[in-house]
Amino acid sequence: MNAKALNTLEFTKIKQLVLEYAASELGSIRIKKMEPSTSLDEVIEWQNETDEAATVLRLKGGMPLGGIFDIRPHVNRSQIGGSLSPLELVKIASTIRASKTIRQFIEKLIEDEDLELPILENKKEMMAILTPLEHLIFDAIDENGEVLDSASPDLRAIRQKIRSSESRIREKLESTIRSKNAQTMLSDAIITIRNDRYVIPVKQEYRGHYGGIVHDQSSSGQTLFIEPEAIVSVNNQLREQHIKEQEEIERILLELTMAVSAEAHDLLLTVDILGDIDFMFSKAKYGRAIKATKPDVNDQGMIHLNKARHPLLPMDEAVANDIFMGDEFTAIVITGPNTGGKTVTLKTIGLCTLMAQAGLPIPVLDGSKIAVFESVYADIGDEQSIEQSLSTFSSHMVNIVSILKEADSGSLVLFDELGAGTDPQEGAALAISILDEVHNKGCRVVATTHYPELKAYGYNRDGVVNASVEFDVNTLSPTYRLLIGVPGRSNAFDISKRLGLSQHVIDHAKSFVGTDSKAVEAMITSLETSRKSAEKDYQDAHDYLKDAQSLHKDMQKQMSEYWDKREELYEKARQKANAVVEQAKTEAEEILADLRKLRLEKNADVKEHELIDAKKRLDEATVAPSNKKPKTTAPKTARVLQPGDEVNVLTFGQRGILLDKVSDTEWSVQIGILKMKVKEKDMEFKKAEKKAEPKPLATVKGKEYHVGLELDLRGERYENALMRVDKYIDDALLAGYPRVSIIHGKGTGALRSGVQEKLKNHRSVKRVRLGESGEGGSGVTVVEFK
């Protein structure tokens, strides 16, 4: 990747930001070495790694990455015969413990959440299980790096002797400093240590009283630190014991170092994997901080960024823009005023490309696409070089010459103010020629310019499109919005007028503008007007679509409930009828049995076939269950239907108004806010309307609206909630709903009681009940209208 472009596009600043999220030195080292890749497969792999880490962050908030150290130097030294210090061994044990914690975390995450995390699972499997080495180290050394008594039996015995000797020395010295002459002969009644030996502070004139060895004196020379003769031999023993202790500690450390050396390969592999995991989560944490997403990457030069923001600008200040190229066009020429956002747009494209190729998520919305380029070139900013005696134009040209030599079809080229810094006519000609050269090589090109000659460039070249950054003449400020397909127009006359320049001066200035320039400006103005109109129409259509989708969903829900309830009632009726018939059959069987018995006993004249026929008629009276929905046909009516008539639409169980006849057998019917085609045989005449023009939507204060089947009152104050219930019931009645639900939650029950009391007193409410288990239970009140 081109090093100058990385610097120009400030990729180093991105690395510094990612560095803040590293949990260990291992992750920091990888971030510092992070560079964009030119391999599509590698970029896809890196993006998948970051995406897995982002999934874990979303579900669990993070990965336990504490206690990881870069132990590679320690492990390498153990392999060449060096002895590791206690703190170095503790870092190794801590890193092993961290790897065990991460393995367990990943296992539990996959098991509990039923997630597919192939990359993390693979890394978990690759990490060696080194728990015995961890226990070996922590059994001998505590987390502060102190070698424990339990490290070996010999060390425990030596330290017991040391403590015994120290105790005897202190007893003798305390006896000395508590003697009757101590206050006179000692500078202070304390026991201290000099040269690792216990001493007491004796005044100069009494140095001969205690005998022994002088180890130090005060700065004034008036106090000598003397080891009394009575404890010299015990101090000598203590010194020998300390030497033995140190020898035993060195033996223990050497033994632990050898154990580390034996596991060196697995340790280095585990450390490498821990570094990868820390690197993955550092990128994912950075992505979460800037609300970035994973892009779809390709090697066809396709760029489609949805609401892209510059990653180095504050999120609340950066203006998001849709940027796309690589399909119908491969070059964009952006025009517009200074400080309008042209350079920011260039850097956004370049920096998002570099970030994506480095495996970082980018600040765009989901569904964005970005290409993997073999090289990225950028000529941006003031390139003036005093050291090389080069002007701005010359410095830019040196850079552009280098780009023209190296760029090819796998390159992304970014030009800022192409051709600036020289005569406008020559600069514009050079800019056109340079763009042609780069475009003909198959590069993806984005260039910014001030030259009016380039405004028509996109109309004269295949695969090139004009773009501009929007400027609000009313506020005299840029909006930073990128408009692809519309060249920027000059705002000098409009701005001058708003700032108070006389109209005759402006008119005089316009007389100097050529006819061609005026035509171009008029064309651009027309394009801007058309674009704004199209955007408004699109937004209106989008809003209508959302309303229609919501209404369609509600209608489907109502129809589903209707058929379910209808079939349920049919089934109950069948069951009740069958129960009655079964009871009658039972009684008939008993009667038949009595008759047969009577015939045998009394020779009554009752024929057997008559008894059988009677039983058969009872059997036929049983109602058979049916899963098939009964067809409803409209009763024939003598009246000829007319537009404006109110009818029952039997197939939907809804009332509607006839609009017009669309064929011999079908009518266009307005049902609520829906217009539908319904066959005449599926309708039943109700009554004629005075007005034939239906109201397509219920109106409130002249505005169209759609009311849903549910009203959510959770979080509302009591008085506001009851006011909302009043309005909602009126709206639902206007919409013709047979039933609605009011969600009030469970809470203390005060809101539920208030709502139900109000509804019971409403003249149009037929029934009020709590929701069933599938409807929300006691947190929902279901209202049925008359």
Side-chain angles (χ1 to χ4, degrees):
M1 190 59 67
N2 184 272
K4 182 174 177 58
L6 293 177
N7 184 55
T8 301
L9 296 170
E10 301 178 295
F11 184 70
T12 305
K13 289 186 179 179
I14 297 294
K15 290 165 66 171
Q16 290 297 322
L17 293 173
V18 179
L19 202 58
E20 296 176 7
Y21 297 96
S24 69
E25 184 63 24
L26 295 169
S28 298
I29 292 170
R30 280 165 172 74
I31 294 168
K32 290 173 183 175
K33 292 180 179 179
M34 179 172 63
E35 297 288 342
S37 171
T38 58
S39 166
L40 177 65
D41 292 338
E42 194 169 38
V43 171
I44 290 174
E45 181 184 352
W46 290 354
Q47 285 289 344
N48 288 338
E49 288 179 354
T50 309
D51 191 52
E52 271 198 20
T55 300
V56 175
L57 289 180
R58 187 174 65 253
L59 293 174
K60 293 297 182 181
M63 170 76 77
L65 294 169
I68 299 174
F69 298 94
D70 184 6
I71 59 173
R72 290 173 297 182
H74 314 325
V75 176
N76 290 334
R77 196 163 75 253
S78 74
Q79 290 183 289
I80 59 174
S83 180
L84 301 179
S85 69
L87 283 175
E88 289 172 338
L89 289 165
V90 166
K91 287 181 178 180
I92 291 172
S94 175
T95 303
I96 295 172
R97 179 182 291 174
S99 71
K100 179 176 66 177
T101 302
I102 290 171
R103 276 200 321 274
Q104 293 171 347
F105 180 86
I106 295 172
E107 286 174 359
K108 192 171 187 302
L109 183 64
I110 294 172
E111 181 180 342
D112 293 352
E113 301 291 340
D114 194 24
L115 287 177
E116 289 188 7
L117 302 172
I119 296 172
L120 285 172
E121 189 172 13
N122 181 56
K123 292 187 181 298
K124 179 208 72 170
E125 295 298 333
M126 290 174 63
M127 282 192 287
I129 298 175
L130 299 167
T131 307
L133 179 58
E134 173 204 346
H135 290 165
L136 188 65
I137 294 173
F138 278 135
D139 286 346
I141 307 171
D142 67 17
E143 294 187 357
N144 296 318
E146 295 293 330
V147 180
L148 302 171
D149 292 357
S150 58
S152 75
D154 290 346
L155 183 61
R156 179 182 285 106
I158 292 169
R159 285 183 172 173
Q160 285 176 348
K161 290 180 180 178
I162 288 173
R163 285 190 284 270
S164 176
S165 298
E166 287 176 341
S167 178
R168 281 189 291 145
I169 291 171
R170 283 189 172 277
E171 286 177 4
K172 289 184 178 182
L173 290 180
E174 284 175 0
S175 174
T176 301
I177 64 177
R178 287 198 302 267
S179 65
K180 61 180 180 179
N181 297 323
Q183 189 173 1
T184 303
M185 298 180 181
L186 300 180
S187 299
D188 201 352
I190 60 170
I191 300 170
T192 184
I193 295 175
R194 290 292 187 275
N195 299 326
D196 294 329
R197 298 176 79 90
Y198 287 92
V199 296
I200 55 176
V202 181
K203 294 178 180 178
Q204 171 70 30
E205 57 268 29
Y206 298 107
R207 61 177 298 175
H209 181 78
Y210 292 99
I213 304 169
V214 177
H215 287 279
D216 198 2
Q217 67 178 7
S218 65
S219 57
S220 64
Q222 296 301 310
T223 300
L224 302 177
F225 294 94
I226 295 176
E227 178 186 357
E229 187 174 357
I231 65 166
V232 169
S233 60
V234 185
N235 254 339
N236 287 339
Q237 291 175 5
L238 180 62
R239 180 61 180 165
E240 290 173 3
Q241 289 161 1
H242 276 303
I243 291 171
K244 289 180 180 179
E245 178 193 28
Q246 192 58 39
E247 289 175 350
E248 181 61 16
I249 289 173
E250 288 177 0
R251 186 195 66 78
I252 292 167
L253 295 179
L254 185 59
E255 188 177 281
L256 293 174
T257 301
M258 292 173 65
V260 169
S261 178
E263 303 288 357
H265 177 269
D266 288 342
L267 279 169
L268 293 174
L269 177 61
T270 299
V271 167
D272 196 48
I273 295 168
L274 291 175
D276 288 344
I277 293 175
D278 189 10
F279 182 42
M280 288 169 56
F281 278 87
S282 299
K283 293 187 290 184
K285 288 173 187 174
Y286 170 70
R288 180 175 63 177
I290 64 169
K291 296 184 179 178
T293 63
K294 172 191 172 186
D296 294 330
V297 294
N298 63 85
D299 57 358
Q300 283 85 44
M302 299 284 295
I303 296 177
H304 195 151
L305 305 179
N306 300 323
K307 301 301 179 187
R309 293 176 284 106
H310 192 290
L312 294 177
L313 292 177
M315 283 190 292
D316 56 343
E317 296 178 12
V319 175
N321 280 304
D322 293 329
I323 304 170
F324 50 92
M325 66 183 300
D327 187 7
E328 297 178 2
F329 51 87
T330 58
I332 303 176
V333 179
I334 306 174
T335 53
N338 282 331
T339 70
K342 299 192 303 298
T343 303
V344 170
T345 300
L346 278 188
K347 288 190 173 182
T348 299
I349 297 170
L351 198 48
C352 283
T353 298
L354 296 177
M355 289 171 63
Q357 292 186 215
L360 288 165
I362 57 178
V364 295
L365 296 185
D366 286 332
S368 295
K369 300 177 183 178
I370 201 158
V372 174
F373 294 100
E374 293 178 6
S375 52
V376 176
Y377 299 99
D379 180 57
I380 299 175
D382 187 1
E383 298 288 340
Q384 186 174 13
S385 173
I386 298 175
E387 295 176 357
Q388 299 179 25
S389 301
L390 295 175
S391 66
T392 300
F393 175 76
S394 301
S395 295
H396 276 292
M397 287 312 301
V398 169
N399 197 19
I400 290 170
V401 168
S402 174
I403 291 172
L404 292 179
K405 287 180 180 178
E406 299 175 10
D408 56 23
S409 60
S411 302
L412 171 65
V413 182
L414 308 172
F415 291 124
D416 188 28
E417 299 298 347
L418 186 58
T422 187
D423 176 77
Q425 190 171 359
E426 292 181 355
L430 270 174
I432 292 172
S433 179
I434 291 167
L435 282 174
D436 281 342
E437 178 69 15
V438 179
H439 180 53
N440 291 336
K441 286 187 173 186
C443 304
R444 298 298 185 266
V445 188
V446 185
T448 68
T449 181
H450 274 305
Y451 294 130
E453 289 85 352
L454 269 71
K455 292 180 182 179
Y457 181 80
Y459 297 100
N460 301 328
R461 305 290 192 284
D462 291 332
V464 182
V465 70
N466 282 313
S468 60
V469 285
E470 192 176 51
F471 188 88
D472 190 340
V473 179
N474 295 322
T475 61
L476 302 181
S477 61
T479 65
Y480 304 106
R481 288 185 61 207
L482 179 68
L483 309 175
I484 293 180
V486 180
R489 67 186 183 94
S490 174
N491 298 293
F493 293 149
D494 294 333
I495 294 171
S496 300
K497 183 178 180 180
R498 286 188 59 82
L499 292 175
L501 188 64
S502 299
Q503 185 63 45
H504 76 276
V505 176
I506 295 173
D507 293 339
H508 186 55
K510 287 182 178 179
S511 67
F512 295 107
V513 178
T515 305
D516 292 343
S517 296
K518 290 179 180 178
V520 170
E521 290 298 321
M523 176 191 69
I524 295 171
T525 303
S526 175
L527 283 172
E528 284 188 351
T529 304
S530 299
R531 175 189 58 78
K532 290 179 179 178
S533 176
E535 285 182 351
K536 184 178 182 302
D537 290 344
Y538 171 80
Q539 188 59 45
D540 290 344
H542 182 68
D543 292 342
Y544 282 126
L545 176 61
K546 285 176 66 177
D547 289 343
Q549 287 174 336
S550 178
L551 180 61
H552 182 258
K553 183 178 178 182
D554 287 344
M555 287 294 292
Q556 283 183 321
K557 182 179 178 182
Q558 281 192 1
M559 290 303 299
S560 176
E561 290 178 354
Y562 166 75
W563 285 112
D564 290 345
K565 191 69 175 177
R566 179 180 176 183
E567 192 59 33
E568 181 184 343
L569 292 173
Y570 272 122
E571 187 60 33
K572 284 182 179 178
R574 282 194 293 269
Q575 291 175 0
K576 188 174 182 180
N578 286 339
V580 172
V581 174
E582 285 295 327
Q583 185 179 357
K585 285 172 64 177
T586 303
E587 292 174 359
E589 289 285 355
E590 292 174 356
I591 293 169
L592 290 172
D594 290 341
L595 287 173
R596 287 192 181 99
K597 184 178 180 182
L598 183 62
R599 185 184 65 180
L600 294 173
E601 292 177 354
K602 306 294 185 180
N603 294 318
D605 188 15
V606 181
K607 304 286 195 242
E608 181 65 27
H609 71 274
E610 292 176 352
L611 297 174
I612 294 171
D613 287 344
K615 184 176 182 298
K616 184 178 181 182
R617 286 196 300 274
L618 281 171
D619 289 338
E620 290 173 349
T622 305
V623 181
S626 173
N627 294 324
K628 188 174 181 181
K629 294 178 181 176
K631 293 183 179 179
T632 306
T633 58
K636 293 184 179 179
T637 176
R639 190 184 188 285
V640 177
L641 297 176
Q642 299 291 334
D645 286 350
E646 183 178 347
V647 295
N648 272 344
V649 181
L650 301 174
T651 49
F652 295 109
Q654 297 285 333
R655 290 190 179 187
I657 296 175
L658 296 182
L659 298 180
D660 50 42
K661 199 165 187 178
V662 295
S663 69
D664 292 339
T665 59
E666 284 188 323
W667 282 81
S668 176
V669 183
Q670 182 85 35
I671 302 175
I673 65 170
L674 287 181
K675 290 181 182 179
M676 303 181 68
K677 289 182 181 179
V678 182
K679 292 184 178 180
E680 189 170 318
K681 67 177 184 177
D682 294 331
M683 295 185 295
E684 177 185 15
F685 171 74
K686 291 298 293 181
K687 62 180 179 179
E689 286 284 324
K690 291 182 180 180
K691 294 183 181 180
E693 295 181 1
K695 295 181 181 179
L697 288 173
T699 59
V700 178
K701 296 181 181 178
K703 293 186 179 179
E704 295 180 348
Y705 79 105
H706 166 66
V707 60
L709 289 169
E710 295 178 344
L711 172 64
D712 194 341
L713 299 177
R714 288 174 293 183
E716 289 279 356
R717 296 177 64 86
Y718 184 85
E719 294 80 4
N720 292 341
L722 295 184
M723 290 174 62
R724 285 189 64 193
V725 169
D726 260 342
K727 182 179 181 305
Y728 176 71
I729 294 299
D730 292 342
D731 293 344
L733 288 168
L734 282 173
Y737 292 161
R739 181 176 66 182
V740 294
S741 299
I742 297 178
I743 304 170
H744 41 62
K746 298 179 181 177
T748 61
L751 181 58
R752 177 178 64 238
S753 300
V755 168
Q756 292 187 347
E757 189 64 31
K758 189 170 193 66
L759 291 171
K760 287 175 181 176
N761 297 325
H762 198 285
R763 64 182 181 278
S764 299
V765 174
K766 176 182 178 183
R767 182 186 175 206
V768 177
R769 64 175 176 84
L770 289 176
E772 297 177 357
S773 58
E775 296 174 322
S778 60
V780 173
T781 292
V782 179
V783 187
E784 296 179 5
F785 298 119
K786 295 178 181 176

